[in-house]
């Protein structure tokens, strides 16, 4: 059974010289650092080579050639659906590859290491690809981590990524297009790490076709950490008709590659096809045969190029041909990065060590505080801090970032509902102040209330039809005459109730949304100030539920109070309230009388007094027929008094006949009803607007300040008296803290051991330079 990464790895035997021993420790330390960074999501990244290319560019085949043995699932289509991280270490004692699969036992713990054969590794990768092929996501960003020791391995960390996809546009390919976006996002995320060297694979004869470089340059715009490799060289050489074309292909102009690539020029590789095994479809019986084929392919490529060019390749040109030269270049480049980064890694490990030590001390303190008195005191302190944060948010603060917690008016409407009247229209955003600002707390509450005032204040009385007027007249219980003032009241209160009641519910939902948003922001402020009860989720959930219940019940109670006001205002019309005062009504009647007199003089009716005529039917607005039989003359002092009285009485009788005894709806009667409805509707609107805003401020906003503290404290003390374990779940909490303590102790030992390793390496680097990397022996083909 192989030792886990938590146990010290054995050093090379005596046959390995001091330089190799130092290099061994360096690579071992960086491999462990890479695993620690993956597990802890720590801010340090060890240098590695991330391989990027399109499907069928030969990524996995190139990786196998670099390692010296086959292990992966290669072929046409998508064969890599999870990134594969390969920690390769040269060990001359290993005649066969020693492979360890890291962290795949339970999917989380990277300290779990399983020794696997090459066949088992290949079977596992194939099974993962098949699983993800059936999965809706198709791909996974979680790495398969494999540690490999072999005498033909370079000292490298290589990350093989899924192949990029470039499907044709169109609805028929929408599934492939979705997969292409997912793969590109995954690959881009891997390339984001600044410590990674990007191995960019291009399968083209013309360097102007930047298929893979186009995506790589979105992350590494200058190609300053990118090595470009042209794969499948053996298939490209026959395509060139002239030696000049080969010259340009081998030495592309700097402007063509759009940057300063690592190594100054591209590398060119060929990997022979065929798999290792004993099956009918296999080509090579062993990995040794495969390595010989790779070496032979390299010599053949050089010979074909020299034949095409008609000259011998220079030493510099030969250094860019073949897998062995690429492997040597990457190994030297990575070793330099390793040594250059050692001084930077030590402070990061020191910081991580201090952070983990502090977390361990906090857990020990929490374990010691698990008694009733201290837990109750913690709960009361959290209660007070929570209420302080709520009060601060309502009064106004800038501590919480608006880009994370704020809402624009558009977001607020989408999440908390909109103010929509019976016409189904919304007020445009541009008409609301601060509509584009991301607000929270008291500022958001004020904006919501301002929008309510603006929307309701601009509401007009809905249109009135003649049928509604006639139906509202009805029959009295003592006579069958008409009472148009009652008719106007019936219509006005019905229109007002139907118009304003939806706004009441909409306002309640919107303000409740604003209040509930205070909770996550308050939790953020508590965490920021170190006042949050981490590990006490049951207690925190109890406080959250109590706050939600309080907010919902308070909003419901406030809305019921406002509904009572609306019902009373629309049940009985009080002229002093609905018409403001009797003088206003008399002014209306006088203006109506003046309008009638102007009608007698031949002028058209242009207004029904000082009221909005938008609800009047067109046949009323443009009525020009004289109405002398309905006119009451109050204003002609030159008329004979007896004649005036007689005329007045006659006109009054005519007016009564037209409005009391006659069921035919005359234009004058219509205008009276319309104007009265307008007057009553406006009075109801003004009262509803003022009373609703006042009640929501008094019975929804203020209780958060003056009633919530007492209610939360009462609920808390009651829970403390009943059963403290149901409040804090002490048993589960103690078990969770002990488990966290064990994990932190293991993590602390790993960081400490890694820190000591890097310190030793740093001391050696300070005293003398590392010897150059010993070249991995490459088997030459037998003649």
């Amino acid at each position: 059974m192989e030792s886990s990464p938590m146990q010290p790895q054995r050093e090379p035997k005596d046959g390995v010289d001091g330089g190799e021993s130092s290099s061994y420790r360096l690579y071992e330390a960086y491999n462990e650092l890479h695993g620690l960074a993956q597990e802890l999501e720590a801010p340090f990244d060890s240098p590695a080579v991330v391989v990027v290319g399109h499907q069928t560019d030969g990524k996995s085949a190139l990786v196998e050639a670099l390692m010296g043995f086959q292990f992966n699932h290669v072929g046409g289509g998508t064969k890599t659906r999870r990134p594969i991280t390969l920690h390769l270490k040269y060990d001359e004692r290993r005649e066969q590859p020693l492979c360890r699969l890291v962290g795949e036992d339970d999917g989380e713990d990277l300290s779990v290491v399983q020794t696997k054969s090459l066949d088992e590794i290949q079977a596992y990768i194939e099974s993962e690809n098949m699983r993800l092929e059936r999965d809706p996501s198709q791909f996974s960003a979680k790495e398969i981590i494999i540690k490999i020791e072999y005498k033909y391995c370079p000292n490298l960390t290589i990350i093989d990524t899924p192949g990029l996809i470039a499907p044709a546009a169109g609805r028929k390919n929408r599934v492939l297009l979705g997969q292409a976006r997912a793969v590109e996002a995954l690959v881009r995320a891997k390339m984001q790490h600044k410590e990674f060297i990007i191995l960019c694979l291009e399968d083209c004869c013309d360097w102007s076709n930047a298929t893979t470089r186009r995506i790589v340059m979105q992350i590494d715009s200058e190609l300053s950490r990118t090595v470009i490799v042209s794969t499948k060289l053996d298939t490209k050489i026959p395509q060139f008709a002239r030696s000049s074309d080969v010259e340009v292909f081998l030495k592309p102009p700097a402007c063509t590659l759009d940057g300063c690539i690592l190594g100054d020029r591209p590398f060119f590789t060929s990997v022979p096809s065929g798999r290792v095994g004993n099956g009918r479809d296999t080509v090579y019986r062993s990995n040794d045969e495969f390595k010989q084929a790779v070496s032979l392919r390299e010599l053949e490529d050089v010979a074909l190029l020299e034949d095409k060019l008609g000259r011998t390749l220079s030493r510099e040109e030969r250094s860019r041909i073949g897998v062995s030269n690429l492997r040597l270049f990457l190994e030297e480049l990575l070793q330099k990065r390793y040594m250059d980064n050692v001084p930077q890694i030590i402070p990061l490990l020191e910081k991580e060590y201090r952070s983990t030590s502090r977390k361990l001390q906090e857990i020990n303190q929490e374990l010691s505080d698990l008694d009733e008195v201290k837990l109750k005191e913690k709960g009361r302190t959290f209660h007070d801090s929570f209420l302080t944060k709520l009060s601060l948010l309502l009064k106004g603060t800038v501590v919480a970032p608006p880009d994370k917690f704020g809402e624009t008016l558009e977001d607020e409407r989408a999440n908390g509902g909109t103010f929509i009247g019976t016409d189904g229209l919304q007020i445009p955003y541009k008409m609301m102040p601060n509509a584009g600002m991301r607000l929270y707390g008291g500022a958001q509450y004020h904006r919501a209330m301002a929008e309510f005032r603006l929307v309701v204040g601009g509401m007009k009385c809905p249109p009135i039809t003649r049928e509604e007027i006639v139906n509202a007249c009805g029959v009295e219980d003592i006579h069958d005459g008409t009472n148009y003032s009652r008719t106007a009241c019936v219509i006005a209160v019905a229109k007002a109730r139907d118009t304003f009641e939806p706004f009441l519910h909409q306002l309640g939902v919107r303000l409740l949304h604003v209040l509930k948003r205070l909770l996550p922001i308050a939790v953020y402020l508590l965490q920021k100030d170190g006042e949050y009860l981490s590990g006490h989720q049951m207690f925190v959930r109890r406080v959250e539920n109590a706050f939600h219940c309080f907010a919902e019940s308070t909003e419901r109670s406030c809305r019921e109070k406002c509904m009572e006001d609306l019902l009373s205002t629309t049940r009985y019309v009080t002229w002093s309230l609905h018409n403001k005062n009797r003088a206003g009504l008399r002014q209306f009647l006088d203006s109506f009388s003046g309008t009638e007199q102007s009608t007698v003089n031949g002028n058209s009716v242009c207004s029904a007094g000082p009221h909005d005529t938008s609800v009047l039917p067109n046949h009323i607005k443009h009525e020009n027929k004289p109405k002398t039989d309905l006119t009451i003359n109050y204003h002609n002092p030159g008329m004979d008094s007896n004649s005036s009285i007689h005329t007045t009485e006659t006109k009054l009788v005519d007016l009564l006949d037209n409005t009391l005894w006659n069921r035919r709806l005359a234009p004058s009667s219509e205008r009276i009803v319309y104007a009265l409805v307008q007057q009553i509707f406006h009075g109801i609107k003004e009262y509803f607007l003022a009373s609703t805003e006042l009640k929501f401020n008094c019975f929804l906003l203020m209780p958060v300040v003056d009633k919530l503290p007492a209610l939360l404290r009462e609920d808390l003390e009651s829970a403390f008296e009943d059963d403290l374990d149901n409040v804090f779940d002490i048993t589960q909490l103690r078990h969770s803290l002990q488990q966290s303590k064990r994990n932190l102790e293991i993590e602390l030992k790993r960081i400490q051991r890694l820190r000591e390793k890097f310190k030793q390496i740093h001391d050696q680097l300070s005293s003398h330079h590392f010897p150059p990397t010993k070249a991995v022996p490459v088997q030459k083909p037998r003649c």
Side-chain angles (χ1 to χ4, degrees), residues 604-607 612-624 671:
S604 62
V605 177
C606 62
S607 174
D612 184 13
T613 62
S614 61
V615 297
L616 297 179
N618 291 331
H619 74 279
I620 297 280
K621 293 180 184 179
H622 304 291
E623 179 65 51
N624 293 320
R671 284 197 294 274

Side-chain angles (χ1 to χ4, degrees), residues 370 725 728-738:
L370 289 182
D725 194 54
F728 287 100
D729 195 4
I730 299 176
T731 304
Q732 177 61 31
L733 181 60
R734 180 176 284 108
H735 175 75
S736 175
L737 288 174
Q738 289 173 347

Side-chain angles (χ1 to χ4, degrees), residues 84-128:
I84 303 174
T85 298
L86 303 164
H87 295 300
L88 310 177
K89 284 193 297 184
Y90 165 70
D91 187 349
E92 67 176 10
R93 301 166 302 168
R94 300 293 181 186
E95 294 292 336
Q96 295 297 325
L98 174 65
C99 303
R100 299 185 180 98
L101 186 62
V102 181
E104 293 293 326
D105 184 28
D106 58 4
E108 294 294 337
D109 189 1
L110 292 180
S111 64
V112 177
V113 179
Q114 307 171 69
T115 301
K116 300 279 187 180
S117 66
L118 288 178
D119 291 338
E120 290 173 334
I121 292 287
Q122 184 173 0
Y124 179 78
I125 294 173
E126 289 182 4
S127 67
E128 279 295 286

Side-chain angles (χ1 to χ4, degrees), residues 465-466 468-474 476 479-492 575 585 588-589 592 654-677 680:
T465 65
R466 290 170 60 86
E468 287 178 322
I469 296 176
V470 174
N471 279 307
C473 289
E476 295 286 346
H479 67 90
D480 62 352
T482 55
N483 184 351
Y484 285 117
S485 61
R486 180 190 179 281
T487 299
C489 292
V490 169
I491 295 173
W575 289 106
L585 179 60
F588 153 70
L589 292 174
F592 175 74
D654 292 340
L655 180 62
L656 289 173
D657 179 64
N658 196 53
T659 59
L660 181 61
W661 301 320
N662 191 350
R663 288 277 173 162
R664 295 182 62 185
L665 192 59
S668 58
S669 303
E670 267 191 273
R671 284 197 294 274
I672 292 175
V673 172
Y674 284 130
L676 284 174
V677 169
I680 297 169

